[in-house]
Amino acid sequence: MSGIVGWVDFGRDLSRERSTLLAMTATLACRGPDDEGVWVSRHCGFGHRHLAVFDAEAGRQPVVVEDGSGVRAVGMHSGSILNHAELRSRLAGLGHRLQRGGDTEVLVHAYLEWGEDCVHRLEGSFAGAVWDEQRRRLWLVRDRLGVEPLFYYPLATGVVFGSEAKAILAHPLVEAEVDADGLREVLTYSGTPDFAPFHGMSRLRAGRMAVMTEQFLSVRAYWKVEARPHTDDLDTTVSTIRGLLEESMDRNLVTDMPKGCLLSGGLDSSGVVGLAHRVLSPRGEAVRTFTVNFARHEDNFRPSDTRSGLDTPYAADVVAHLGTEHTGVLIDPTELADPVARAAVLRAKDIPTPLGDMNTSLYLLARAVSDQVRVVMTGEAADSLFHGVVWNRDPVESTMGTFPWVARGVVRDAPQGLGCGLLDPALLEKLSPLDYAAQRYRESIAEAPMLDDVSEVDRHMRELCWVHITNFMENQNGHTERLFKAVGVEVRMPYCDHRLVQYAYNLPWALQNFDGREKGLLRAALSDVLPRSVIDRRKTPYPVTVDKAYEAALRAEATALLADRQAPVLPLLDTAAVRDVLDDANSLGSWAARANLELPLQLNRWIREYGIKLSI
């Protein structure tokens, strides 16, 4: 329930600005295909697009709470407050008259009862707004791990906010300007938690709330990871992780709509499926699972040190082991080059990336999933919590003084940064994106909470965990959440449970690495719910196509770009280098090499379609 926009202005009569709110709200129609609601008063306007995951009628937003003197408060949110039923009972016992049902009504009444501190009682992934009409005060809040997005843009006498940047850009007082730091952020995938690439716009950081009055706009943390001693032994640690995961899964399965799980055949997603099976099987429900694959992939695939094998055999083992209701989504590589799908990906994410076919295939998977379910569980964040990413265990990539995912590109195939290989060298010298990433890394690890007596090894590994649960997850959550919301599916991430994150952050490296394998503790915690093949499988990233048809389509699109003298990205490119790549039949043999074409193509579409003003 699933896209919000708002405008608060103490210097303007917003009761005349309903059309502006409607235009902003319309940009989020994909996030909420079921309903639209707009509420406007003199100094506040809210717009909402509704994706029904609980009772459809009861969940209509914005929710207005009135008393004898008129409107007291108005609220709306995206995502789900998973413990709304318990809070509803508590609030009713305190004398609140909750009349409609749904979790938004609970949010507004919780605010009226406990004020801003009500956020400590909320469970789930959510981004919400409450306008206190009597106090003329706006309250914004984002969930602890930042699964649901929320951006804001201060004005001279107010603020504009929305679930996505595009909603804010639809406001007539907001310009789509990108300055040097904004472009650096795009080029480096730094994931700066409170930063948006559009000049003047900010992202409300995970675990933060903002308050706007006529006098001030303030942002403060209501939750963050704390450094605590870890005193549990190995067996207790494993059982605690398992217990926290089971509790999280119980909460995340709460919905009135059809639900399912993504299944790659890796440990993380398979673990979600296995735990969901343990909850649903006693009820007589089978878990619905979805796996993506590419046509001709078995013929074209060649094992590497990154991807040692195909996903589908392992996914099939899980399906057979648990008896899931399974759907295989087969994508032809030509679909990955479909300009409509590629444009939809950019519009979903609002920024260009070099991820190319990874983006498009996930979008096409989401589109297929949307035919069957409204809520889908994923395995995001397990790698961040349990050091599953290969670069965290690499002695070079993890110690280069920058984000290790940036370092991996530099060490491997992208010395200028992933996707930057065909940009104008003078532009790269001016922007120095790798220096920018290193500075953002230093800023991030400086915030990492530490005990005084922590060893150097544990300090380093906790710094790596920190940048993953802040910067990396800001990127990753936005990637998955945005592409699934673009087709009206709510994503839930059971590993993004703040209790589990708090526990995992403080795990000593000796325990994290007790068996010398990545995610050893998670393997042990899931060992009795999954087939042995999956428990023993090496970490394998999300699949990419290796089909020549996709490579040919990229070449054709890049050739057309060079021929378009009005292409706005041309001044940013080393056009001679682009021509050399296109003239060499073997130049796109690796995914990183393709990324060097993917990013300029996305940049070109972004600048043109969003009307980007580059101030660099």
Side-chain angles (χ1 to χ4, degrees):
M1 40 179 69
S2 236
I4 64 174
V5 303
W7 180 10
V8 169
D9 202 316
F10 296 102
R12 182 185 295 266
D13 183 356
L14 296 188
S15 63
R16 304 174 181 177
E17 302 290 348
R18 186 178 183 85
S19 60
T20 300
L21 266 296
L22 286 168
M24 294 170 64
T25 306
T27 66
L28 302 181
C30 291
R31 292 182 67 92
D34 296 323
D35 193 22
E36 178 180 271
V38 172
W39 179 88
V40 183
S41 69
R42 182 173 179 82
H43 293 300
C44 177
F46 279 1
H48 182 265
R49 291 295 312 197
H50 183 48
L51 171 66
V53 298
F54 297 120
D55 183 279
E57 279 299 313
R60 297 186 70 182
Q61 303 181 43
V63 169
V64 181
V65 176
E66 299 178 307
D67 60 16
S69 61
V71 174
R72 291 187 64 195
V74 184
M76 59 182 178
H77 78 290
S78 67
S80 296
I81 298 171
L82 300 179
N83 63 331
H84 68 96
E86 301 97 291
L87 290 174
R88 176 176 294 277
S89 296
R90 178 76 188 278
L91 288 163
L94 292 170
H96 288 257
R97 299 181 62 188
L98 292 93
Q99 300 172 337
R100 296 180 47 174
D103 50 350
T104 311
E105 184 182 38
V106 169
L107 171 66
V108 182
H109 281 271
Y111 170 84
L112 291 172
E113 177 65 33
W114 298 298
E116 296 159 15
D117 287 342
C118 71
V119 69
H120 300 293
R121 302 171 185 265
L122 306 180
E123 302 278 352
S125 301
F126 51 84
V130 175
W131 170 250
D132 191 325
E133 176 78 2
Q134 296 178 353
R135 299 171 67 192
R136 303 212 313 176
R137 182 184 184 95
L138 174 70
W139 179 60
L140 302 176
V141 64
R142 189 173 177 213
D143 67 79
R144 296 167 181 85
L145 276 303
V147 175
E148 288 291 317
L150 189 58
F151 297 85
Y152 64 96
Y153 187 102
L155 302 172
T157 55
V159 68
V160 181
F161 65 90
S163 295
E164 297 180 6
K166 65 174 68 65
I168 295 174
L169 295 174
H171 191 283
L173 297 180
V174 179
E175 186 175 26
E177 180 183 355
V178 176
D179 60 20
D181 276 352
L183 190 53
R184 291 180 181 112
E185 188 76 18
V186 169
L187 297 181
T188 59
Y189 221 55
S190 291
T192 306
D194 56 0
F195 191 85
F198 299 99
H199 182 70
M201 190 183 300
S202 296
R203 176 164 50 197
L204 186 62
R205 186 170 177 171
R208 302 300 191 270
M209 64 172 73
V211 173
M212 173 88 185
T213 70
E214 195 165 0
Q215 289 75 37
F216 63 85
L217 170 63
S218 66
V219 177
R220 67 179 177 89
Y222 69 86
W223 181 88
K224 54 187 175 182
V225 170
E226 298 175 353
R228 298 174 185 172
H230 185 87
T231 57
D232 293 343
D233 61 15
L234 176 61
D235 289 343
T236 304
T237 298
V238 170
S239 65
T240 300
I241 291 170
R242 173 60 174 269
L244 290 169
L245 282 171
E246 289 181 345
E247 291 172 9
S248 178
M249 182 56 67
D250 283 344
R251 286 188 290 270
N252 277 281
L253 287 170
V254 176
T255 176
D256 297 330
M257 300 297 169
K259 54 189 174 288
C261 300
L262 299 189
L263 173 63
S264 70
L267 180 68
D268 309 344
S269 64
S270 300
V272 169
V273 174
L275 293 172
H277 172 76
R278 291 177 70 89
V279 175
L280 297 179
S281 181
R283 305 178 191 170
E285 295 182 49
V287 181
R288 299 185 188 189
T289 52
F290 302 88
T291 298
V292 68
N293 195 17
F294 304 112
R296 302 180 294 280
H297 198 49
E298 289 79 2
D299 298 331
N300 296 323
F301 179 81
R302 298 292 180 271
S304 67
D305 62 338
T306 302
R307 293 178 173 85
S308 57
L310 297 168
D311 285 346
T312 46
Y314 296 94
D317 286 350
V318 175
V319 170
H321 186 74
L322 300 175
T324 72
E325 185 179 310
H326 187 65
T327 300
V329 178
L330 187 66
I331 298 174
D332 192 281
T334 57
E335 294 180 83
L336 299 173
D338 177 9
V340 174
R342 286 168 67 82
V345 167
L346 177 61
R347 285 194 295 270
K349 299 187 74 170
D350 285 333
I351 57 170
T353 79
L355 301 182
D357 62 301
M358 292 178 71
N359 278 332
T360 313
S361 66
L362 188 62
Y363 170 77
L364 294 173
L365 171 62
R367 195 168 67 181
V369 168
S370 70
D371 291 336
Q372 298 189 43
V373 302
R374 279 296 184 90
V375 175
V376 70
M377 316 289 160
T378 77
E380 257 82 9
D383 281 333
S384 297
L385 300 182
F386 299 106
H387 296 282
V389 283
V390 64
W391 49 68
N392 273 16
R393 307 177 72 87
D394 186 287
V396 175
E397 295 165 2
S398 67
T399 58
M400 287 180 64
T402 190
F403 298 112
W405 56 91
V406 174
R408 185 168 181 81
V410 172
V411 169
R412 300 269 170 153
D413 304 301
Q416 299 94 350
L418 186 65
C420 296
L422 298 177
L423 298 182
D424 179 14
L427 175 68
L428 291 174
E429 183 177 0
K430 179 180 180 180
L431 293 178
S432 192
L434 296 180
D435 289 342
Y436 173 87
Q439 175 61 30
R440 290 302 199 187
Y441 173 77
R442 290 190 293 271
E443 292 170 359
S444 185
I445 63 173
E447 297 180 344
M450 295 288 168
L451 297 174
D452 292 337
D453 59 349
V454 68
S455 70
E456 284 306 308
V457 170
D458 279 335
R459 174 180 293 275
H460 177 59
M461 299 311 294
R462 282 178 191 163
E463 287 173 346
L464 292 179
C465 183
W466 175 263
V467 298
H468 278 82
I469 63 178
T470 54
N471 300 65
F472 188 74
M473 278 172 54
E474 193 66 73
N475 284 328
Q476 193 67 18
N477 289 357
H479 171 71
T480 306
E481 193 273 350
R482 216 60 81 74
L483 292 175
F484 274 81
K485 283 290 178 64
V487 294
V489 176
E490 178 167 300
V491 172
R492 295 186 182 172
M493 305 177 183
Y495 294 106
C496 282
D497 179 90
H498 65 283
R499 286 162 289 252
L500 178 63
V501 172
Q502 173 63 58
Y503 191 76
Y505 176 77
N506 288 293
L507 292 169
W509 180 240
L511 277 177
Q512 286 271 25
N513 197 42
F514 82 95
D515 62 352
R517 304 183 65 189
E518 82 278 0
K519 295 185 286 194
L521 290 172
L522 185 60
R523 293 177 196 276
L526 298 172
S527 60
D528 65 327
V529 297
L530 297 176
R532 196 73 240 169
S533 61
V534 173
I535 293 294
D536 292 337
R537 188 188 183 193
R538 241 183 79 192
K539 164 68 183 176
T540 300
Y542 184 85
V544 296
T545 184
V546 290
D547 195 277
K548 289 291 185 181
Y550 183 70
E551 179 183 321
L554 272 187
R555 290 179 180 276
E557 189 176 349
T559 300
L561 184 149
L562 289 181
D564 179 5
R565 295 184 179 182
Q566 302 302 314
V569 79
L570 287 180
L572 307 182
L573 300 184
D574 182 343
T575 54
V578 177
R579 289 190 179 92
D580 288 343
V581 166
L582 296 178
D583 290 342
D584 183 351
N586 299 313
S587 61
L588 299 180
S590 70
W591 183 77
R594 294 204 305 270
N596 286 331
L597 273 186
E598 298 276 16
L599 183 60
L601 293 171
Q602 286 268 300
L603 278 168
N604 191 62
R605 185 185 293 273
W606 185 53
I607 296 169
R608 177 170 279 163
E609 293 193 4
Y610 280 67
I612 300 295
K613 174 187 174 184
L614 287 175
S615 304
I616 57 175

